[in-house]
Amino acid sequence: MSRAAGGQTGGWAAGLQRHLRSTRHLVGTLLAVAGLLAHFAGLLEAFWLPIVLGLYALGVLVTPQTQTDLQLEELAGQQALRGELQTFLRGLHGRVAPDVQARLARLEAQLDDLLPRLRELELQGNPHAFTIRQIVTDYLPETFENYLRLPPRYAQQHVLPGGRTPHAVLLDQLALLEQTLESITVSVAQGDTGELLANGRFLQDKFGTPDLKL
């Protein structure tokens, strides 16, 4: 199965799990059960099945998403991406050199800091959110997909035009991804710092005590 097909299957399963835990599903199920009880009581005879299904759909459609639902959806999204990253990194174990593994460890640490903020950044329309997601799902896997096709000795020793080996090219590409994530981390932190300072000014204006002059 290709990575795209696997991602679509995993995304569909994760979406189903989120729905089954949601308030919408609960309300829809309660309405459907009420319809079944009405059928068993003899109140619904003809077309009872479409009515029961319609009651479930009605419950799903009219029930707004609660904060808990949104939090569960956000957490599930983080866990899905984190799981995809861990699966990818486990697949590289024993297949890459120690210096590459060290680069991967730094990238993993950076993503561990950023993934919990991904949903928030997406809701803000922050363009960094797309880059973070693409690094996990596309850029990083494709970098290694190309590299691992090469015979190990060729990757380590063959000199390409420009004087670098494929191994050195890989390290440079990983360094570029690391620099990109560092830049995103700084940008996000600067936004948080600005909000912290603004909140401090607000608190000072609201609760600060002016100096007393004797």
Side-chain angles (χ1 to χ4, degrees):
M1 180 183 292
S2 67
R3 185 170 67 249
Q8 291 174 356
T9 302
W12 179 87
L16 177 60
Q17 291 176 358
R18 290 197 298 272
H19 174 70
L20 294 178
R21 293 194 298 264
S22 70
T23 306
R24 290 175 168 178
H25 172 66
L26 176 61
V27 174
T29 300
L30 290 175
L31 288 178
V33 169
L36 283 174
L37 293 175
H39 168 64
F40 293 142
L43 300 177
L44 291 177
E45 295 184 1
F47 306 110
W48 66 271
L49 182 56
I51 292 174
V52 168
L53 296 176
L55 286 171
Y56 176 83
L58 177 65
V60 171
L61 290 174
V62 302
T63 304
Q65 278 191 311
T66 66
Q67 185 64 29
T68 300
D69 291 339
L70 293 173
Q71 290 172 346
L72 286 173
E73 183 175 345
E74 179 179 350
L75 180 60
Q78 293 173 16
Q79 291 174 337
L81 270 182
R82 180 67 181 135
E84 185 171 343
L85 178 62
Q86 288 179 331
T87 299
F88 167 73
L89 293 175
R90 283 197 300 268
L92 293 178
H93 185 69
R95 303 177 66 191
V96 295
D99 53 354
V100 174
Q101 198 67 52
R103 285 279 185 189
L104 286 171
R106 291 198 291 271
L107 286 168
E108 183 180 12
Q110 290 174 308
L111 288 167
D112 280 343
D113 289 337
L114 290 170
L115 285 179
R117 304 292 300 277
L118 180 59
R119 180 61 174 168
E120 176 189 346
L121 295 174
E122 288 176 333
L123 292 175
Q124 293 172 354
N126 191 312
H128 291 321
F130 175 80
T131 303
I132 295 168
R133 185 177 291 277
Q134 288 298 104
I135 285 176
V136 175
T137 60
D138 288 305
Y139 302 153
L140 192 56
E142 286 178 4
T143 297
F144 279 91
E145 184 177 341
N146 296 327
Y147 176 77
L148 292 174
R149 290 197 190 103
L150 303 174
R153 182 178 299 179
Y154 178 95
Q156 289 280 352
Q157 300 177 2
H158 183 75
V159 179
L160 302 171
R164 295 183 300 167
T165 64
H167 181 79
V169 171
L170 173 67
L171 288 174
D172 288 345
Q173 292 176 358
L174 295 179
L176 181 58
L177 290 177
E178 187 178 340
Q179 292 167 7
T180 300
L181 289 175
E182 181 62 24
S183 175
I184 293 173
T185 299
V186 170
S187 176
V188 172
Q190 287 174 341
D192 293 339
T193 302
E195 292 180 4
L196 177 64
L197 294 174
N199 186 65
R201 290 190 293 268
F202 165 76
L203 294 176
Q204 182 63 36
D205 292 342
K206 187 171 184 65
F207 302 114
T209 303
D211 293 336
L212 296 177
K213 295 183 180 179
L214 297 178

